[in-house]
PDB file of all heavy atoms in Angstrom:
ATOM      1  N   GLY Z   1     -80.628  25.349-119.815  1.00  0.00           N
ATOM      2  CA  GLY Z   1     -79.465  25.036-120.629  1.00  0.00           C
ATOM      3  C   GLY Z   1     -79.791  24.035-121.718  1.00  0.00           C
ATOM      4  O   GLY Z   1     -80.884  23.479-121.797  1.00  0.00           O
ATOM      5  N   ALA Z   2     -78.791  23.781-122.552  1.00  0.00           N
ATOM      6  CA  ALA Z   2     -78.980  22.884-123.696  1.00  0.00           C
ATOM      7  C   ALA Z   2     -79.339  21.467-123.255  1.00  0.00           C
ATOM      8  O   ALA Z   2     -80.054  20.747-123.943  1.00  0.00           O
ATOM      9  CB  ALA Z   2     -77.721  22.872-124.561  1.00  0.00           C
ATOM     10  N   ASP Z   3     -78.828  21.059-122.077  1.00  0.00           N
ATOM     11  CA  ASP Z   3     -79.084  19.701-121.581  1.00  0.00           C
ATOM     12  C   ASP Z   3     -80.413  19.593-120.849  1.00  0.00           C
ATOM     13  O   ASP Z   3     -80.800  18.510-120.410  1.00  0.00           O
ATOM     14  CB  ASP Z   3     -77.950  19.260-120.650  1.00  0.00           C
ATOM     15  CG  ASP Z   3     -76.611  19.185-121.375  1.00  0.00           C
ATOM     16  OD1 ASP Z   3     -76.622  18.905-122.584  1.00  0.00           O
ATOM     17  OD2 ASP Z   3     -75.578  19.414-120.721  1.00  0.00           O
ATOM     18  N   GLU Z   4     -81.115  20.740-120.687  1.00  0.00           N
ATOM     19  CA  GLU Z   4     -82.392  20.773-119.990  1.00  0.00           C
ATOM     20  C   GLU Z   4     -82.298  20.073-118.636  1.00  0.00           C
ATOM     21  O   GLU Z   4     -83.034  19.132-118.323  1.00  0.00           O
ATOM     22  CB  GLU Z   4     -83.504  20.168-120.846  1.00  0.00           C
ATOM     23  CG  GLU Z   4     -83.797  20.967-122.110  1.00  0.00           C
ATOM     24  CD  GLU Z   4     -85.059  20.522-122.813  1.00  0.00           C
ATOM     25  OE1 GLU Z   4     -85.647  19.499-122.400  1.00  0.00           O
ATOM     26  OE2 GLU Z   4     -85.464  21.194-123.767  1.00  0.00           O
ATOM     27  N   VAL Z   5     -81.371  20.541-117.820  1.00  0.00           N
ATOM     28  CA  VAL Z   5     -81.172  19.975-116.491  1.00  0.00           C
ATOM     29  C   VAL Z   5     -82.420  20.206-115.655  1.00  0.00           C
ATOM     30  O   VAL Z   5     -82.862  21.339-115.464  1.00  0.00           O
ATOM     31  CB  VAL Z   5     -79.948  20.631-115.813  1.00  0.00           C
ATOM     32  CG1 VAL Z   5     -79.810  20.108-114.388  1.00  0.00           C
ATOM     33  CG2 VAL Z   5     -78.690  20.349-116.610  1.00  0.00           C
ATOM     34  N   SER Z   6     -83.025  19.142-115.151  1.00  0.00           N
ATOM     35  CA  SER Z   6     -84.232  19.272-114.337  1.00  0.00           C
ATOM     36  C   SER Z   6     -84.032  18.755-112.918  1.00  0.00           C
ATOM     37  O   SER Z   6     -84.918  18.910-112.076  1.00  0.00           O
ATOM     38  CB  SER Z   6     -85.403  18.529-114.995  1.00  0.00           C
ATOM     39  OG  SER Z   6     -85.098  17.151-115.136  1.00  0.00           O
ATOM     40  N   LYS Z   7     -82.868  18.152-112.656  1.00  0.00           N
ATOM     41  CA  LYS Z   7     -82.572  17.659-111.312  1.00  0.00           C
ATOM     42  C   LYS Z   7     -81.130  17.961-110.948  1.00  0.00           C
ATOM     43  O   LYS Z   7     -80.231  17.865-111.784  1.00  0.00           O
ATOM     44  CB  LYS Z   7     -82.806  16.146-111.221  1.00  0.00           C
ATOM     45  CG  LYS Z   7     -84.262  15.731-111.281  1.00  0.00           C
ATOM     46  CD  LYS Z   7     -84.420  14.237-111.051  1.00  0.00           C
ATOM     47  CE  LYS Z   7     -85.879  13.821-111.082  1.00  0.00           C
ATOM     48  NZ  LYS Z   7     -86.032  12.367-110.851  1.00  0.00           N
ATOM     49  N   LEU Z   8     -80.932  18.350-109.702  1.00  0.00           N
ATOM     50  CA  LEU Z   8     -79.595  18.602-109.185  1.00  0.00           C
ATOM     51  C   LEU Z   8     -79.499  18.022-107.775  1.00  0.00           C
ATOM     52  O   LEU Z   8     -80.516  17.933-107.070  1.00  0.00           O
ATOM     53  CB  LEU Z   8     -79.295  20.099-109.134  1.00  0.00           C
ATOM     54  CG  LEU Z   8     -78.956  20.813-110.439  1.00  0.00           C
ATOM     55  CD1 LEU Z   8     -78.810  22.310-110.187  1.00  0.00           C
ATOM     56  CD2 LEU Z   8     -77.671  20.262-111.056  1.00  0.00           C
ATOM     57  N   THR Z   9     -78.286  17.681-107.374  1.00  0.00           N
ATOM     58  CA  THR Z   9     -78.056  17.197-106.024  1.00  0.00           C
ATOM     59  C   THR Z   9     -77.389  18.290-105.206  1.00  0.00           C
ATOM     60  O   THR Z   9     -76.409  18.900-105.649  1.00  0.00           O
ATOM     61  CB  THR Z   9     -77.164  15.946-106.030  1.00  0.00           C
ATOM     62  OG1 THR Z   9     -77.809  14.912-106.766  1.00  0.00           O
ATOM     63  CG2 THR Z   9     -76.921  15.452-104.601  1.00  0.00           C
ATOM     64  N   ILE Z  10     -77.946  18.557-104.026  1.00  0.00           N
ATOM     65  CA  ILE Z  10     -77.364  19.520-103.099  1.00  0.00           C
ATOM     66  C   ILE Z  10     -77.109  18.792-101.793  1.00  0.00           C
ATOM     67  O   ILE Z  10     -78.044  18.474-101.047  1.00  0.00           O
ATOM     68  CB  ILE Z  10     -78.294  20.722-102.868  1.00  0.00           C
ATOM     69  CG1 ILE Z  10     -78.591  21.434-104.184  1.00  0.00           C
ATOM     70  CG2 ILE Z  10     -77.687  21.697-101.871  1.00  0.00           C
ATOM     71  CD1 ILE Z  10     -79.551  22.594-104.058  1.00  0.00           C
ATOM     72  N   GLY Z  11     -75.840  18.503-101.523  1.00  0.00           N
ATOM     73  CA  GLY Z  11     -75.512  17.693-100.359  1.00  0.00           C
ATOM     74  C   GLY Z  11     -76.103  16.310-100.527  1.00  0.00           C
ATOM     75  O   GLY Z  11     -75.882  15.630-101.532  1.00  0.00           O
ATOM     76  N   SER Z  12     -76.900  15.878 -99.544  1.00  0.00           N
ATOM     77  CA  SER Z  12     -77.543  14.568 -99.617  1.00  0.00           C
ATOM     78  C   SER Z  12     -78.946  14.653-100.200  1.00  0.00           C
ATOM     79  O   SER Z  12     -79.647  13.650-100.307  1.00  0.00           O
ATOM     80  CB  SER Z  12     -77.614  13.951 -98.214  1.00  0.00           C
ATOM     81  OG  SER Z  12     -78.367  14.778 -97.336  1.00  0.00           O
ATOM     82  N   HIS Z  13     -79.377  15.875-100.584  1.00  0.00           N
ATOM     83  CA  HIS Z  13     -80.732  16.073-101.079  1.00  0.00           C
ATOM     84  C   HIS Z  13     -80.760  16.190-102.604  1.00  0.00           C
ATOM     85  O   HIS Z  13     -79.802  16.643-103.227  1.00  0.00           O
ATOM     86  CB  HIS Z  13     -81.350  17.337-100.473  1.00  0.00           C
ATOM     87  CG  HIS Z  13     -81.331  17.355 -98.979  1.00  0.00           C
ATOM     88  ND1 HIS Z  13     -81.954  16.404 -98.216  1.00  0.00           N
ATOM     89  CD2 HIS Z  13     -80.754  18.221 -98.097  1.00  0.00           C
ATOM     90  CE1 HIS Z  13     -81.779  16.668 -96.936  1.00  0.00           C
ATOM     91  NE2 HIS Z  13     -81.045  17.760 -96.847  1.00  0.00           N
ATOM     92  N   GLU Z  14     -81.879  15.800-103.173  1.00  0.00           N
ATOM     93  CA  GLU Z  14     -82.100  15.981-104.602  1.00  0.00           C
ATOM     94  C   GLU Z  14     -83.141  17.076-104.807  1.00  0.00           C
ATOM     95  O   GLU Z  14     -84.140  17.132-104.094  1.00  0.00           O
ATOM     96  CB  GLU Z  14     -82.590  14.680-105.241  1.00  0.00           C
ATOM     97  CG  GLU Z  14     -82.757  14.773-106.762  1.00  0.00           C
ATOM     98  CD  GLU Z  14     -83.156  13.452-107.386  1.00  0.00           C
ATOM     99  OE1 GLU Z  14     -84.327  13.064-107.214  1.00  0.00           O
ATOM    100  OE2 GLU Z  14     -82.316  12.819-108.043  1.00  0.00           O
ATOM    101  N   VAL Z  15     -82.879  17.949-105.779  1.00  0.00           N
ATOM    102  CA  VAL Z  15     -83.819  19.012-106.108  1.00  0.00           C
ATOM    103  C   VAL Z  15     -84.338  18.757-107.512  1.00  0.00           C
ATOM    104  O   VAL Z  15     -83.572  18.701-108.472  1.00  0.00           O
ATOM    105  CB  VAL Z  15     -83.151  20.400-106.032  1.00  0.00           C
ATOM    106  CG1 VAL Z  15     -84.150  21.482-106.427  1.00  0.00           C
ATOM    107  CG2 VAL Z  15     -82.615  20.663-104.636  1.00  0.00           C
ATOM    108  N   ALA Z  16     -85.651  18.582-107.619  1.00  0.00           N
ATOM    109  CA  ALA Z  16     -86.302  18.363-108.909  1.00  0.00           C
ATOM    110  C   ALA Z  16     -87.017  19.647-109.311  1.00  0.00           C
ATOM    111  O   ALA Z  16     -87.798  20.196-108.532  1.00  0.00           O
ATOM    112  CB  ALA Z  16     -87.295  17.212-108.817  1.00  0.00           C
ATOM    113  N   MET Z  17     -86.731  20.133-110.517  1.00  0.00           N
ATOM    114  CA  MET Z  17     -87.286  21.400-110.975  1.00  0.00           C
ATOM    115  C   MET Z  17     -88.385  21.187-112.009  1.00  0.00           C
ATOM    116  O   MET Z  17     -88.206  20.459-112.978  1.00  0.00           O
ATOM    117  CB  MET Z  17     -86.184  22.281-111.563  1.00  0.00           C
ATOM    118  CG  MET Z  17     -85.212  22.812-110.528  1.00  0.00           C
ATOM    119  SD  MET Z  17     -83.837  23.731-111.302  1.00  0.00           S
ATOM    120  CE  MET Z  17     -82.900  22.364-112.011  1.00  0.00           C
ATOM    121  N   ASP Z  18     -89.512  21.837-111.770  1.00  0.00           N
ATOM    122  CA  ASP Z  18     -90.602  21.904-112.735  1.00  0.00           C
ATOM    123  C   ASP Z  18     -90.668  23.346-113.221  1.00  0.00           C
ATOM    124  O   ASP Z  18     -90.419  24.270-112.447  1.00  0.00           O
ATOM    125  CB  ASP Z  18     -91.917  21.499-112.058  1.00  0.00           C
ATOM    126  CG  ASP Z  18     -93.102  21.537-113.003  1.00  0.00           C
ATOM    127  OD1 ASP Z  18     -92.895  21.396-114.226  1.00  0.00           O
ATOM    128  OD2 ASP Z  18     -94.240  21.705-112.518  1.00  0.00           O
ATOM    129  N   VAL Z  19     -90.966  23.562-114.489  1.00  0.00           N
ATOM    130  CA  VAL Z  19     -90.963  24.916-115.053  1.00  0.00           C
ATOM    131  C   VAL Z  19     -92.354  25.295-115.518  1.00  0.00           C
ATOM    132  O   VAL Z  19     -93.000  24.559-116.278  1.00  0.00           O
ATOM    133  CB  VAL Z  19     -89.962  25.024-116.224  1.00  0.00           C
ATOM    134  CG1 VAL Z  19     -90.029  26.417-116.838  1.00  0.00           C
ATOM    135  CG2 VAL Z  19     -88.545  24.723-115.752  1.00  0.00           C
ATOM    136  N   PHE Z  20     -92.816  26.445-115.044  1.00  0.00           N
ATOM    137  CA  PHE Z  20     -94.089  27.014-115.509  1.00  0.00           C
ATOM    138  C   PHE Z  20     -93.773  28.274-116.300  1.00  0.00           C
ATOM    139  O   PHE Z  20     -93.069  29.154-115.820  1.00  0.00           O
ATOM    140  CB  PHE Z  20     -95.001  27.361-114.329  1.00  0.00           C
ATOM    141  CG  PHE Z  20     -96.269  28.070-114.736  1.00  0.00           C
ATOM    142  CD1 PHE Z  20     -97.403  27.350-115.044  1.00  0.00           C
ATOM    143  CD2 PHE Z  20     -96.305  29.458-114.837  1.00  0.00           C
ATOM    144  CE1 PHE Z  20     -98.575  27.992-115.440  1.00  0.00           C
ATOM    145  CE2 PHE Z  20     -97.466  30.115-115.233  1.00  0.00           C
ATOM    146  CZ  PHE Z  20     -98.607  29.374-115.531  1.00  0.00           C
ATOM    147  N   VAL Z  21     -94.319  28.354-117.511  1.00  0.00           N
ATOM    148  CA  VAL Z  21     -94.111  29.523-118.360  1.00  0.00           C
ATOM    149  C   VAL Z  21     -95.466  30.062-118.795  1.00  0.00           C
ATOM    150  O   VAL Z  21     -96.342  29.302-119.217  1.00  0.00           O
ATOM    151  CB  VAL Z  21     -93.281  29.177-119.621  1.00  0.00           C
ATOM    152  CG1 VAL Z  21     -93.104  30.406-120.496  1.00  0.00           C
ATOM    153  CG2 VAL Z  21     -91.922  28.615-119.221  1.00  0.00           C
ATOM    154  N   GLY Z  22     -95.632  31.383-118.678  1.00  0.00           N
ATOM    155  CA  GLY Z  22     -96.863  31.977-119.179  1.00  0.00           C
ATOM    156  C   GLY Z  22     -97.588  32.815-118.153  1.00  0.00           C
ATOM    157  O   GLY Z  22     -96.999  33.297-117.181  1.00  0.00           O
ATOM    158  N   ASP Z  23     -98.878  32.964-118.346  1.00  0.00           N
ATOM    159  CA  ASP Z  23     -99.733  33.826-117.537  1.00  0.00           C
ATOM    160  C   ASP Z  23    -100.614  32.965-116.639  1.00  0.00           C
ATOM    161  O   ASP Z  23    -101.428  32.178-117.132  1.00  0.00           O
ATOM    162  CB  ASP Z  23    -100.598  34.694-118.456  1.00  0.00           C
ATOM    163  CG  ASP Z  23    -101.395  35.728-117.693  1.00  0.00           C
ATOM    164  OD1 ASP Z  23    -101.517  35.616-116.463  1.00  0.00           O
ATOM    165  OD2 ASP Z  23    -101.902  36.665-118.344  1.00  0.00           O
ATOM    166  N   PRO Z  24    -100.488  33.090-115.315  1.00  0.00           N
ATOM    167  CA  PRO Z  24    -101.337  32.302-114.401  1.00  0.00           C
ATOM    168  C   PRO Z  24    -102.827  32.533-114.631  1.00  0.00           C
ATOM    169  O   PRO Z  24    -103.646  31.661-114.325  1.00  0.00           O
ATOM    170  CB  PRO Z  24    -100.913  32.797-113.015  1.00  0.00           C
ATOM    171  CG  PRO Z  24     -99.531  33.320-113.207  1.00  0.00           C
ATOM    172  CD  PRO Z  24     -99.521  33.914-114.581  1.00  0.00           C
ATOM    173  N   ASP Z  25    -103.201  33.711-115.154  1.00  0.00           N
ATOM    174  CA  ASP Z  25    -104.606  34.000-115.427  1.00  0.00           C
ATOM    175  C   ASP Z  25    -105.160  33.102-116.530  1.00  0.00           C
ATOM    176  O   ASP Z  25    -106.379  32.895-116.607  1.00  0.00           O
ATOM    177  CB  ASP Z  25    -104.784  35.465-115.857  1.00  0.00           C
ATOM    178  CG  ASP Z  25    -104.530  36.432-114.716  1.00  0.00           C
ATOM    179  OD1 ASP Z  25    -104.969  36.133-113.591  1.00  0.00           O
ATOM    180  OD2 ASP Z  25    -103.883  37.468-114.940  1.00  0.00           O
ATOM    181  N   GLU Z  26    -104.272  32.591-117.373  1.00  0.00           N
ATOM    182  CA  GLU Z  26    -104.720  31.822-118.534  1.00  0.00           C
ATOM    183  C   GLU Z  26    -104.370  30.340-118.440  1.00  0.00           C
ATOM    184  O   GLU Z  26    -104.612  29.591-119.387  1.00  0.00           O
ATOM    185  CB  GLU Z  26    -104.112  32.421-119.811  1.00  0.00           C
ATOM    186  CG  GLU Z  26    -104.491  33.875-120.050  1.00  0.00           C
ATOM    187  CD  GLU Z  26    -103.799  34.478-121.254  1.00  0.00           C
ATOM    188  OE1 GLU Z  26    -102.984  33.760-121.879  1.00  0.00           O
ATOM    189  OE2 GLU Z  26    -104.064  35.650-121.575  1.00  0.00           O
ATOM    190  N   ASP Z  27    -103.807  29.915-117.320  1.00  0.00           N
ATOM    191  CA  ASP Z  27    -103.415  28.510-117.166  1.00  0.00           C
ATOM    192  C   ASP Z  27    -103.983  27.978-115.850  1.00  0.00           C
ATOM    193  O   ASP Z  27    -103.530  28.357-114.768  1.00  0.00           O
ATOM    194  CB  ASP Z  27    -101.888  28.383-117.178  1.00  0.00           C
ATOM    195  CG  ASP Z  27    -101.426  26.939-117.310  1.00  0.00           C
ATOM    196  OD1 ASP Z  27    -102.115  26.046-116.791  1.00  0.00           O
ATOM    197  OD2 ASP Z  27    -100.361  26.704-117.917  1.00  0.00           O
ATOM    198  N   SER Z  28    -104.945  27.094-115.949  1.00  0.00           N
ATOM    199  CA  SER Z  28    -105.636  26.588-114.763  1.00  0.00           C
ATOM    200  C   SER Z  28    -104.773  25.646-113.920  1.00  0.00           C
ATOM    201  O   SER Z  28    -105.149  25.295-112.801  1.00  0.00           O
ATOM    202  CB  SER Z  28    -106.919  25.858-115.185  1.00  0.00           C
ATOM    203  OG  SER Z  28    -106.614  24.773-116.059  1.00  0.00           O
ATOM    204  N   THR Z  29    -103.614  25.228-114.457  1.00  0.00           N
ATOM    205  CA  THR Z  29    -102.759  24.299-113.710  1.00  0.00           C
ATOM    206  C   THR Z  29    -101.824  25.013-112.740  1.00  0.00           C
ATOM    207  O   THR Z  29    -101.131  24.359-111.957  1.00  0.00           O
ATOM    208  CB  THR Z  29    -101.904  23.461-114.676  1.00  0.00           C
ATOM    209  OG1 THR Z  29    -100.928  24.308-115.328  1.00  0.00           O
ATOM    210  CG2 THR Z  29    -102.766  22.793-115.730  1.00  0.00           C
ATOM    211  N   PHE Z  30    -101.788  26.353-112.777  1.00  0.00           N
ATOM    212  CA  PHE Z  30    -100.812  27.098-111.981  1.00  0.00           C
ATOM    213  C   PHE Z  30    -100.935  26.794-110.486  1.00  0.00           C
ATOM    214  O   PHE Z  30     -99.955  26.426-109.828  1.00  0.00           O
ATOM    215  CB  PHE Z  30    -100.968  28.601-112.221  1.00  0.00           C
ATOM    216  CG  PHE Z  30     -99.983  29.447-111.464  1.00  0.00           C
ATOM    217  CD1 PHE Z  30     -98.667  29.546-111.883  1.00  0.00           C
ATOM    218  CD2 PHE Z  30    -100.380  30.141-110.329  1.00  0.00           C
ATOM    219  CE1 PHE Z  30     -97.748  30.319-111.187  1.00  0.00           C
ATOM    220  CE2 PHE Z  30     -99.470  30.918-109.621  1.00  0.00           C
ATOM    221  CZ  PHE Z  30     -98.159  31.009-110.052  1.00  0.00           C
ATOM    222  N   LYS Z  31    -102.134  26.924-109.921  1.00  0.00           N
ATOM    223  CA  LYS Z  31    -102.317  26.713-108.485  1.00  0.00           C
ATOM    224  C   LYS Z  31    -101.966  25.289-108.082  1.00  0.00           C
ATOM    225  O   LYS Z  31    -101.362  25.057-107.036  1.00  0.00           O
ATOM    226  CB  LYS Z  31    -103.752  27.039-108.080  1.00  0.00           C
ATOM    227  CG  LYS Z  31    -104.062  28.521-108.051  1.00  0.00           C
ATOM    228  CD  LYS Z  31    -105.449  28.775-107.494  1.00  0.00           C
ATOM    229  CE  LYS Z  31    -105.752  30.259-107.412  1.00  0.00           C
ATOM    230  NZ  LYS Z  31    -107.110  30.512-106.871  1.00  0.00           N
ATOM    231  N   GLU Z  32    -102.341  24.329-108.907  1.00  0.00           N
ATOM    232  CA  GLU Z  32    -102.051  22.932-108.602  1.00  0.00           C
ATOM    233  C   GLU Z  32    -100.546  22.684-108.576  1.00  0.00           C
ATOM    234  O   GLU Z  32    -100.037  21.980-107.690  1.00  0.00           O
ATOM    235  CB  GLU Z  32    -102.715  22.021-109.628  1.00  0.00           C
ATOM    236  CG  GLU Z  32    -102.463  20.539-109.390  1.00  0.00           C
ATOM    237  CD  GLU Z  32    -103.077  19.654-110.459  1.00  0.00           C
ATOM    238  OE1 GLU Z  32    -103.727  20.193-111.372  1.00  0.00           O
ATOM    239  OE2 GLU Z  32    -102.886  18.430-110.380  1.00  0.00           O
ATOM    240  N   ARG Z  33     -99.834  23.266-109.525  1.00  0.00           N
ATOM    241  CA  ARG Z  33     -98.384  23.056-109.583  1.00  0.00           C
ATOM    242  C   ARG Z  33     -97.685  23.738-108.422  1.00  0.00           C
ATOM    243  O   ARG Z  33     -96.698  23.231-107.879  1.00  0.00           O
ATOM    244  CB  ARG Z  33     -97.850  23.520-110.936  1.00  0.00           C
ATOM    245  CG  ARG Z  33     -98.359  22.637-112.069  1.00  0.00           C
ATOM    246  CD  ARG Z  33     -98.082  23.206-113.433  1.00  0.00           C
ATOM    247  NE  ARG Z  33     -96.683  23.070-113.812  1.00  0.00           N
ATOM    248  CZ  ARG Z  33     -96.222  23.388-115.020  1.00  0.00           C
ATOM    249  NH1 ARG Z  33     -97.056  23.858-115.943  1.00  0.00           N
ATOM    250  NH2 ARG Z  33     -94.949  23.243-115.301  1.00  0.00           N
ATOM    251  N   VAL Z  34     -98.192  24.900-108.014  1.00  0.00           N
ATOM    252  CA  VAL Z  34     -97.640  25.564-106.834  1.00  0.00           C
ATOM    253  C   VAL Z  34     -97.876  24.715-105.591  1.00  0.00           C
ATOM    254  O   VAL Z  34     -96.999  24.575-104.727  1.00  0.00           O
ATOM    255  CB  VAL Z  34     -98.267  26.958-106.656  1.00  0.00           C
ATOM    256  CG1 VAL Z  34     -97.865  27.562-105.304  1.00  0.00           C
ATOM    257  CG2 VAL Z  34     -97.819  27.887-107.781  1.00  0.00           C
ATOM    258  N   SER Z  35     -99.060  24.114-105.478  1.00  0.00           N
ATOM    259  CA  SER Z  35     -99.409  23.320-104.287  1.00  0.00           C
ATOM    260  C   SER Z  35     -98.530  22.089-104.135  1.00  0.00           C
ATOM    261  O   SER Z  35     -98.367  21.566-103.024  1.00  0.00           O
ATOM    262  CB  SER Z  35    -100.884  22.897-104.355  1.00  0.00           C
ATOM    263  OG  SER Z  35    -101.101  21.945-105.389  1.00  0.00           O
ATOM    264  N   LYS Z  36     -97.948  21.609-105.236  1.00  0.00           N
ATOM    265  CA  LYS Z  36     -97.100  20.419-105.191  1.00  0.00           C
ATOM    266  C   LYS Z  36     -95.629  20.757-104.957  1.00  0.00           C
ATOM    267  O   LYS Z  36     -94.797  19.852-104.821  1.00  0.00           O
ATOM    268  CB  LYS Z  36     -97.238  19.632-106.495  1.00  0.00           C
ATOM    269  CG  LYS Z  36     -98.623  19.031-106.712  1.00  0.00           C
ATOM    270  CD  LYS Z  36     -98.690  18.286-108.037  1.00  0.00           C
ATOM    271  CE  LYS Z  36    -100.066  17.663-108.248  1.00  0.00           C
ATOM    272  NZ  LYS Z  36    -100.147  16.939-109.543  1.00  0.00           N
ATOM    273  N   ALA Z  37     -95.293  22.037-104.915  1.00  0.00           N
ATOM    274  CA  ALA Z  37     -93.886  22.460-104.801  1.00  0.00           C
ATOM    275  C   ALA Z  37     -93.498  22.700-103.343  1.00  0.00           C
ATOM    276  O   ALA Z  37     -94.327  23.105-102.518  1.00  0.00           O
ATOM    277  CB  ALA Z  37     -93.656  23.719-105.620  1.00  0.00           C
ATOM    278  N   HIS Z  38     -92.224  22.454-103.043  1.00  0.00           N
ATOM    279  CA  HIS Z  38     -91.664  22.797-101.737  1.00  0.00           C
ATOM    280  C   HIS Z  38     -91.173  24.243-101.713  1.00  0.00           C
ATOM    281  O   HIS Z  38     -90.996  24.824-100.643  1.00  0.00           O
ATOM    282  CB  HIS Z  38     -90.496  21.872-101.390  1.00  0.00           C
ATOM    283  CG  HIS Z  38     -90.908  20.447-101.155  1.00  0.00           C
ATOM    284  ND1 HIS Z  38     -90.728  19.461-102.095  1.00  0.00           N
ATOM    285  CD2 HIS Z  38     -91.488  19.864-100.078  1.00  0.00           C
ATOM    286  CE1 HIS Z  38     -91.173  18.310-101.609  1.00  0.00           C
ATOM    287  NE2 HIS Z  38     -91.647  18.527-100.403  1.00  0.00           N
ATOM    288  N   ALA Z  39     -90.915  24.799-102.889  1.00  0.00           N
ATOM    289  CA  ALA Z  39     -90.429  26.181-103.006  1.00  0.00           C
ATOM    290  C   ALA Z  39     -90.667  26.649-104.438  1.00  0.00           C
ATOM    291  O   ALA Z  39     -90.851  25.832-105.350  1.00  0.00           O
ATOM    292  CB  ALA Z  39     -88.947  26.279-102.653  1.00  0.00           C
ATOM    293  N   VAL Z  40     -90.657  27.967-104.610  1.00  0.00           N
ATOM    294  CA  VAL Z  40     -90.874  28.554-105.940  1.00  0.00           C
ATOM    295  C   VAL Z  40     -89.763  29.561-106.228  1.00  0.00           C
ATOM    296  O   VAL Z  40     -89.448  30.416-105.390  1.00  0.00           O
ATOM    297  CB  VAL Z  40     -92.242  29.257-106.034  1.00  0.00           C
ATOM    298  CG1 VAL Z  40     -92.384  29.961-107.384  1.00  0.00           C
ATOM    299  CG2 VAL Z  40     -93.377  28.264-105.840  1.00  0.00           C
ATOM    300  N   GLY Z  41     -89.188  29.470-107.416  1.00  0.00           N
ATOM    301  CA  GLY Z  41     -88.199  30.437-107.872  1.00  0.00           C
ATOM    302  C   GLY Z  41     -88.751  31.222-109.045  1.00  0.00           C
ATOM    303  O   GLY Z  41     -89.182  30.633-110.044  1.00  0.00           O
ATOM    304  N   ILE Z  42     -88.784  32.554-108.918  1.00  0.00           N
ATOM    305  CA  ILE Z  42     -89.243  33.415-110.014  1.00  0.00           C
ATOM    306  C   ILE Z  42     -88.029  33.793-110.847  1.00  0.00           C
ATOM    307  O   ILE Z  42     -87.085  34.393-110.339  1.00  0.00           O
ATOM    308  CB  ILE Z  42     -89.924  34.672-109.473  1.00  0.00           C
ATOM    309  CG1 ILE Z  42     -91.107  34.302-108.571  1.00  0.00           C
ATOM    310  CG2 ILE Z  42     -90.406  35.565-110.623  1.00  0.00           C
ATOM    311  CD1 ILE Z  42     -91.719  35.492-107.859  1.00  0.00           C
ATOM    312  N   LEU Z  43     -88.044  33.437-112.117  1.00  0.00           N
ATOM    313  CA  LEU Z  43     -86.888  33.633-112.989  1.00  0.00           C
ATOM    314  C   LEU Z  43     -87.048  34.911-113.797  1.00  0.00           C
ATOM    315  O   LEU Z  43     -88.067  35.118-114.462  1.00  0.00           O
ATOM    316  CB  LEU Z  43     -86.748  32.434-113.926  1.00  0.00           C
ATOM    317  CG  LEU Z  43     -85.561  32.421-114.882  1.00  0.00           C
ATOM    318  CD1 LEU Z  43     -84.249  32.408-114.113  1.00  0.00           C
ATOM    319  CD2 LEU Z  43     -85.647  31.197-115.800  1.00  0.00           C
ATOM    320  N   VAL Z  44     -86.036  35.784-113.741  1.00  0.00           N
ATOM    321  CA  VAL Z  44     -86.092  37.060-114.470  1.00  0.00           C
ATOM    322  C   VAL Z  44     -84.767  37.275-115.191  1.00  0.00           C
ATOM    323  O   VAL Z  44     -83.753  36.642-114.887  1.00  0.00           O
ATOM    324  CB  VAL Z  44     -86.371  38.246-113.522  1.00  0.00           C
ATOM    325  CG1 VAL Z  44     -87.641  38.018-112.735  1.00  0.00           C
ATOM    326  CG2 VAL Z  44     -85.207  38.477-112.569  1.00  0.00           C
TER     327      VAL Z  44
END
């Protein structure tokens, strides 16, 4: 969205969102960013 919301509260928990855009074959940071995540959402 226009406000670039990157954090939301769900109940007593906070959800922080990181966004990866592009081709994992061409970005060496993909695996590292996945390893730091608690979950992954594929956006279509």
